[in-house]
């Protein structure tokens, strides 16, 4: 597939690296020639120094021959105009990154008027993940994800005491016919391997046949734990803070936003109903104590600085707040987050990259997908003749540590795989992968014949 990406920033490059893993032909367009030179020295991709708002520039690259254009610049209006121009000039489909709340309130009108196929809002996507965690508790709908005869169940290890301190290698001895495919521990989702041990307070993702999983769900399902969510403090009044405050307020929670910029506070107070907006520095412990930090049910840190978000999240955790969520863009902080015991850390770049990838692939490539805690993804794919993973025992495949094949539909048969399991043509695979390493997943499933590795229904 031929894809043009406008903007060589963090999101543009994350999408590029992921698409290259799947053997797509990518062209990057940016006005910064020095930046593009750095890009071309690190990856094998076509770069074009141009202003994509100029029709001539789009015509020069032959935009009508492209399947997708993805506009990822920092300016909403620029992205929308570029997408509209590209679509008019014959590009197959266009995707625009748009963040402004004013645009989101008239989203369908903008899409129809400018003929934009998809609009992606990173802040709104993060808000949805946070909301699911705080209000619905489960990151899966009601705790269960089902596909055919297979189900994936989410629950806390404390609800099944026999699993605590259990090595993953012995999991099937306690729950026969089931497989632990994911662990949420200290704000981080991990794919378990042979040396891992389930510990107290771990969140578990367990796959098996539908009926046994539903029976297990009746034993471990927690009802109503978060229905009494009443008080939430949001540290940072940017776009994520705005969307989250609006959504939680509509739910009925009492929301406080702490924002250091006075002008931004004025905007928030005039655009949000029933939300308390405080002008102050969230790193001021005295201010937090005066605003009853200890009495909050949840704290979300979403300032524009990762370091502040981590510090504030740690402060909240030390004050005994049950649910603490941090917005963190740097992957290098992953281990720090895990050691701090934050309940959930979200990376907007990873989340949006995953969403864009699924839009580009369409349902012919990934039949279904769903994010787990904003860090991992359940995918359902078909095995076709040209996949390199066919005919080889799983133990002999060099699977990335970020990927696990959770279950296999083979005709009417359900297979919970082990190391000796061999994937066959026409198998339908249920996979779990970390979105922070989604490029490795794409390489793993790449079609060696370049004819397309997924099969339609």
């Amino acid at each position: 597939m031929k894809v043009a990406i406008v903007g060589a920033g963090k999101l543009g490059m994350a999408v590029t690296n992921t698409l290259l893993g799947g053997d797509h032909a990518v062209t990057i367009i940016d006005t910064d020639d020095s930046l593009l030179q750095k890009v071309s020295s690190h990856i094998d991709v076509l770069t074009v120094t141009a202003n994509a708002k100029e029709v001539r520039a789009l015509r020069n690259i032959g935009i009508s021959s492209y399947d997708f254009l993805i506009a990822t610049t920092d300016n909403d209006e620029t992205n929308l105009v570029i997408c509209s121009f590209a679509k008019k000039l014959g590009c197959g489909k266009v995707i625009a990154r748009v963040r402004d709340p004013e645009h989101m309130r008239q989203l369908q009108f903008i899409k129809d008027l400018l003929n934009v196929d998809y609009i992606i809002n990173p802040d709104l996507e993060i808000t949805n993940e946070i909301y699911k965690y705080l209000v619905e508790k489960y990151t899966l709908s009601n705790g269960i994800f089902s596909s055919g005869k297979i189900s994936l169940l989410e629950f806390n290890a404390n609800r099944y005491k026999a699993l605590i301190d259990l090595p993953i290698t012995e999991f099937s001895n306690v729950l026969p016919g089931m497989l632990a495919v994911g662990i949420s521990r200290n704000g981080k989702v991990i794919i378990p391997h042979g040396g891992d041990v389930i510990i107290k307070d771990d969140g578990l993702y367990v796959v098996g046949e539908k009926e046994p999983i539903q029976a297990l769900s009746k034993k471990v399902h927690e009802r109503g734990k978060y229905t009494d969510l009443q008080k939430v403090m949001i540290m940072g009044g940017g776009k994520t803070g705005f969307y989250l405050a609006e959504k939680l307020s509509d739910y009925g929670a009492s929301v406080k936003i702490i924002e250091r910029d006075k002008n931004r506070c004025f905007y928030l107070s005039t655009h949000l109903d029933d939300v308390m907006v405080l002008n102050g520095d969230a790193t001021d412990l005295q201010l937090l104590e005066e605003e009853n930090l200890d009495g909050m049910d949840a704290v979300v840190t979403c300032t524009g600085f990762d370091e502040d978000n981590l510090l504030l999240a740690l402060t909240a955790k030390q004050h005994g707040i049950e649910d603490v969520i941090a917005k963190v863009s740097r992957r290098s902080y992953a281990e720090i987050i895990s050691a701090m015991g934050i309940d959930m850390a979200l990376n907007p770049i990873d989340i949006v990259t995953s969403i864009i990838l699924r839009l580009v692939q369409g349902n012919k490539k990934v039949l279904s997908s769903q994010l787990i805690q904003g860090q991992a993804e359940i995918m359902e794919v078909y095995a076709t003749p040209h996949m390199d993973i066919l005919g080889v025992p799983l133990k002999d495949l060099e699977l990335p540590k970020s990927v696990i094949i959770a279950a296999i539909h083979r005709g009417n048969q359900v297979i919970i795989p082990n190391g000796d399991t061999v994937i066959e043509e026409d198998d339908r695979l249920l996979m779990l992968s970390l979105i922070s390493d989604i490029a490795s997943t794409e390489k793993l499933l790449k079609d060696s014949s370049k004819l397309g590795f997924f099969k339609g229904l």
Side-chain angles (χ1 to χ4, degrees):
M1 194 171 291
K2 201 172 178 183
V3 183
I5 296 177
V6 181
K10 290 180 181 179
L11 177 58
M13 293 313 303
V15 174
T16 297
N17 287 320
T18 302
L19 290 175
L20 289 177
D23 250 8
H24 300 281
V26 180
T27 299
I28 302 178
I29 308 170
D30 200 288
T31 56
D32 190 333
D33 184 59
S34 61
L35 178 59
L36 291 179
Q37 287 182 19
K38 292 179 182 177
V39 170
S40 59
S41 67
H42 287 87
I43 57 176
D44 185 17
V45 65
L46 176 64
T47 59
V48 176
T49 305
N51 186 344
K53 286 194 297 184
E54 296 180 3
V55 172
R56 179 180 60 180
L58 294 175
R59 282 181 171 150
N60 285 344
I61 68 167
I63 195 63
S64 61
S65 67
Y66 281 75
D67 300 289
F68 271 89
L69 178 139
I70 307 168
T72 68
T73 77
D74 290 333
N75 186 283
D76 289 355
E77 289 75 18
T78 295
N79 291 337
L80 290 168
V81 167
I82 291 171
C83 283
S84 183
F85 286 178
K87 189 73 173 180
K88 184 69 175 178
L89 293 172
C91 183
K93 291 190 176 182
V94 293
I95 303 173
R97 176 171 76 167
V98 176
R99 303 177 63 197
D100 199 308
E102 276 69 27
H103 292 320
M104 302 313 292
R105 291 193 179 98
Q106 48 197 6
L107 188 61
Q108 194 58 51
F109 179 81
I110 292 173
K111 289 174 68 175
D112 293 343
L113 178 67
L114 299 179
N115 199 15
V116 176
D117 296 289
Y118 305 106
I119 290 178
I120 302 296
N121 186 327
D123 303 285
L124 196 54
E125 297 298 339
I126 284 184
T127 293
N128 291 335
E129 293 300 315
I130 296 173
Y131 183 86
K132 279 196 301 181
Y133 184 86
L134 291 180
V135 174
E136 300 171 12
K137 180 179 187 270
Y138 293 106
T139 54
L140 299 172
S141 177
N142 204 34
I144 296 182
F145 170 88
S146 293
S147 170
K149 296 182 178 180
I150 298 171
S151 289
L152 181 71
L153 175 65
E154 171 189 2
F155 65 95
N156 192 287
N158 299 342
R159 302 286 295 180
Y160 204 102
K161 301 296 184 183
L163 296 175
I164 297 176
D165 297 326
L166 184 75
I168 284 294
T169 52
E170 298 178 17
F171 186 87
S172 60
N173 295 333
V174 177
L175 293 173
M178 300 183 190
L179 181 68
V181 296
I183 296 176
S184 175
R185 179 180 296 164
N186 295 330
K188 182 181 178 183
V189 175
I190 61 176
I191 304 297
H193 295 280
D196 289 311
V197 175
I198 298 170
I199 63 175
K200 185 173 179 266
D201 296 324
D202 275 354
L204 300 179
Y205 294 89
V206 176
V207 71
E209 291 194 53
K210 184 177 290 185
E211 289 186 7
I213 286 290
Q214 288 178 340
L216 176 61
S217 176
K218 292 178 182 178
K219 297 179 181 179
V220 300
H221 189 84
E222 297 178 86
R223 299 182 185 277
K225 183 178 178 183
Y226 287 92
T227 54
D228 60 348
L229 180 75
Q230 296 180 20
K231 298 178 181 180
V232 182
M233 181 177 287
I234 300 173
M235 301 179 182
K239 292 181 175 64
T240 300
F242 175 90
Y243 289 123
L244 182 60
E246 186 174 53
K247 201 170 180 70
L248 288 174
S249 178
D250 288 343
Y251 166 73
S254 174
V255 182
K256 286 184 181 180
I257 297 180
I258 299 179
E259 166 59 41
R260 68 179 64 183
D261 184 274
K262 194 170 184 178
N263 291 330
R264 182 63 181 173
C265 285
F266 178 77
Y267 175 90
L268 294 170
S269 62
T270 55
H271 287 79
L272 291 171
D273 297 325
D274 300 320
V275 173
M276 181 179 293
V277 180
L278 303 169
N279 179 217
D281 186 349
T283 61
D284 183 349
L285 185 56
Q286 183 178 346
L287 172 64
L288 297 181
E289 290 175 347
E290 289 174 354
E291 294 303 328
N292 193 28
L293 173 63
D294 293 341
M296 295 295 139
D297 299 312
V299 168
V300 180
T301 65
C302 52
T303 74
F305 303 95
D306 286 353
E307 294 79 4
D308 283 356
N309 290 339
L310 289 174
L311 174 62
L312 293 169
L314 179 59
T315 300
K317 212 59 189 168
Q318 289 175 338
H319 278 252
I321 307 303
E322 183 173 0
D323 289 310
V324 179
I325 300 173
K327 176 183 174 183
V328 183
S329 299
R330 294 188 186 181
R331 291 175 181 169
S332 57
Y333 287 154
E335 294 305 318
I336 298 175
I337 293 166
S338 182
M340 291 170 62
I342 297 171
D343 297 284
M344 186 163 69
L346 297 173
N347 186 321
I349 301 298
D350 286 344
I351 291 173
V352 175
T353 298
S354 175
I355 293 170
I356 289 175
L357 179 64
R358 300 306 163 219
L359 291 175
V360 170
Q361 289 175 327
N363 58 13
K364 291 182 180 179
K365 305 202 87 178
V366 174
L367 299 178
S368 65
S369 66
Q370 181 175 337
L371 288 178
I372 292 180
Q373 208 168 314
Q375 297 179 32
E377 183 178 26
I378 310 169
M379 296 187 297
E380 188 180 12
V381 303
Y382 268 104
T384 57
H386 304 290
M387 291 176 66
D388 292 336
I389 61 175
L390 296 185
V392 181
L394 293 184
K395 64 185 178 184
D396 296 330
L397 285 174
E398 294 184 0
L399 292 174
K401 290 185 177 181
S402 60
V403 177
I404 189 169
I405 297 175
I408 300 171
H409 269 124
R410 183 172 295 163
N412 292 323
Q413 183 184 9
V414 172
I415 300 171
I416 303 302
N418 56 39
D420 296 319
T421 302
V422 175
I423 298 171
E424 299 179 1
E425 180 183 343
D426 288 334
D427 283 349
R428 193 169 69 184
L429 312 177
L430 190 69
M431 303 176 61
L432 193 71
S433 65
L434 300 181
I435 61 175
S436 59
D437 194 23
I438 199 169
S440 293
T441 307
E442 296 308 300
K443 290 177 183 177
L444 174 69
L445 298 177
K446 185 168 62 177
D447 176 13
S448 57
S449 73
K450 299 185 180 179
L451 295 176
F453 58 85
F454 288 95
K455 178 179 177 181
L457 286 169

